[in-house]
Amino acid sequence: TQLLEQSPQFLSIQEGENLTVYCNSSSVFSSLQWYRQEPGEGPVLLVTVVTGGEVKKLKRLTFQFGDARKDSSLHITAAQPGDTGLYLCAGAPRGFGNEKLTFGTGTRLTIIP
Amino acid sequence: DTEVTQTPKHLVMGMTNKKSLKCEQHMGHRAMYWYKQKAKKPPELMFVYSYEKLSINESVPSRFSPECPNSSLLNLHLHALQPEDSALYLCASSPEGSTKNIQYFGAGTRLSVL
């Protein structure tokens, strides 16, 4: 069974601060998605990374896929209250047909105004 | 349009009731999924349909019965549920080709079993 461990599990910071969330595994993934989920809603796709070492930016969010495609990070600059939510990484196993994603354990982020 | 629509948004049912959850997408996606999500946990995969055929059943109890009437619709029929089945049920879909691993989620159905 492939596992994706996220850290930290919980993070509460002041508005304007920077933060990094990590998503780690011992397994290789063909691609990795990051989602943000608000209470009572479904996960919303933020980004997909495919190539080892790839870096993608989405406004104040920077996503990186590890060189070996086993880990990923999400960095938020100047966090805002609207960034509050549950952040989930999800990896597509290498060699698998298509359907199964392995979800990370989640990081619950709270930005304090 | 990357919308997956789920109905109802909330559902309360007794343990002897029969109800159905519905999911619809018009993005031409050929894979559709049901997930169960408990509070403060990541989604857990229940079923996958690929080209309207059930391709993955993650050992889900038979009181959950999925159905895919056509490529745009996915149902989850519920019968004789237990209180521990109370959760957020999420539907997702994904395209074929190079982006086949990208899943788009609906807003979910919040189910409470009394």
Side-chain angles (χ1 to χ4, degrees):
Chain A
T1 302
Q2 296 179 304
L3 295 175
L4 272 170
E5 294 287 338
Q6 286 185 235
S7 61
Q9 189 176 0
F10 299 96
L11 183 59
S12 182
I13 63 171
Q14 294 287 336
E15 181 178 358
E17 294 184 357
N18 301 333
L19 67 108
T20 302
V21 176
Y22 299 93
C23 174
N24 295 302
S25 176
S26 58
S27 303
V28 176
F29 293 96
S30 63
S31 67
L32 194 138
Q33 278 74 252
W34 282 93
Y35 293 86
R36 180 172 64 221
Q37 185 177 21
E38 299 191 21
E41 299 292 328
V44 174
L45 180 68
L46 297 174
V47 78
T48 297
V49 286
V50 177
T51 307
E54 182 176 4
V55 176
K56 281 192 174 178
K57 291 196 173 186
L58 185 66
K59 297 183 180 178
R60 294 175 293 99
L61 279 59
T62 302
F63 304 86
Q64 183 161 10
F65 203 10
D67 291 342
R69 291 185 293 155
K70 293 182 180 181
D71 53 81
S72 181
S73 64
L74 158 60
H75 182 78
I76 301 179
T77 304
Q80 298 180 2
D83 296 327
T84 293
L86 175 67
Y87 287 80
L88 293 163
C89 62
R94 186 180 59 174
F96 219 88
N98 57 342
E99 297 111 354
K100 287 185 86 165
L101 285 182
T102 297
F103 276 89
T105 48
T107 294
R108 189 162 298 277
L109 175 64
T110 303
I111 308 301
I112 304 165
Chain B
D1 180 14
T2 56
E3 190 168 319
V4 177
T5 304
Q6 288 188 244
T7 56
K9 192 163 178 64
H10 302 277
L11 179 63
V12 179
M13 60 186 291
M15 289 188 283
T16 58
N17 291 159
K18 286 185 181 180
K19 296 287 185 182
S20 296
L21 309 185
K22 297 187 184 300
C23 175
E24 190 169 1
Q25 57 88 15
H26 295 289
M27 296 178 279
H29 292 176
R30 302 314 295 266
M32 295 185 76
Y33 313 75
W34 280 116
Y35 287 86
K36 173 182 178 180
Q37 187 177 26
K38 301 287 275 188
K40 302 181 181 180
K41 298 288 187 183
E44 298 174 21
L45 183 65
M46 299 174 72
F47 302 104
V48 181
Y49 273 82
S50 181
Y51 288 88
E52 301 164 47
K53 292 189 189 304
L54 183 65
S55 60
I56 295 177
N57 177 342
E58 291 288 275
S59 301
V60 179
S62 60
R63 57 186 185 268
F64 295 92
S65 175
E67 178 197 19
C68 189
N70 61 57
S71 60
S72 299
L73 294 174
L74 186 66
N75 299 321
L76 186 62
H77 303 297
L78 313 173
H79 178 228
L81 294 195
Q82 304 296 310
E84 59 265 30
D85 296 322
S86 298
L88 181 67
Y89 287 84
L90 294 165
C91 173
S93 69
S94 64
E96 290 297 301
S98 61
T99 55
K100 60 188 177 184
N101 295 319
I102 302 174
Q103 295 185 18
Y104 297 90
F105 285 83
T109 294
R110 172 73 58 191
L111 174 67
S112 297
V113 182
L114 304 179

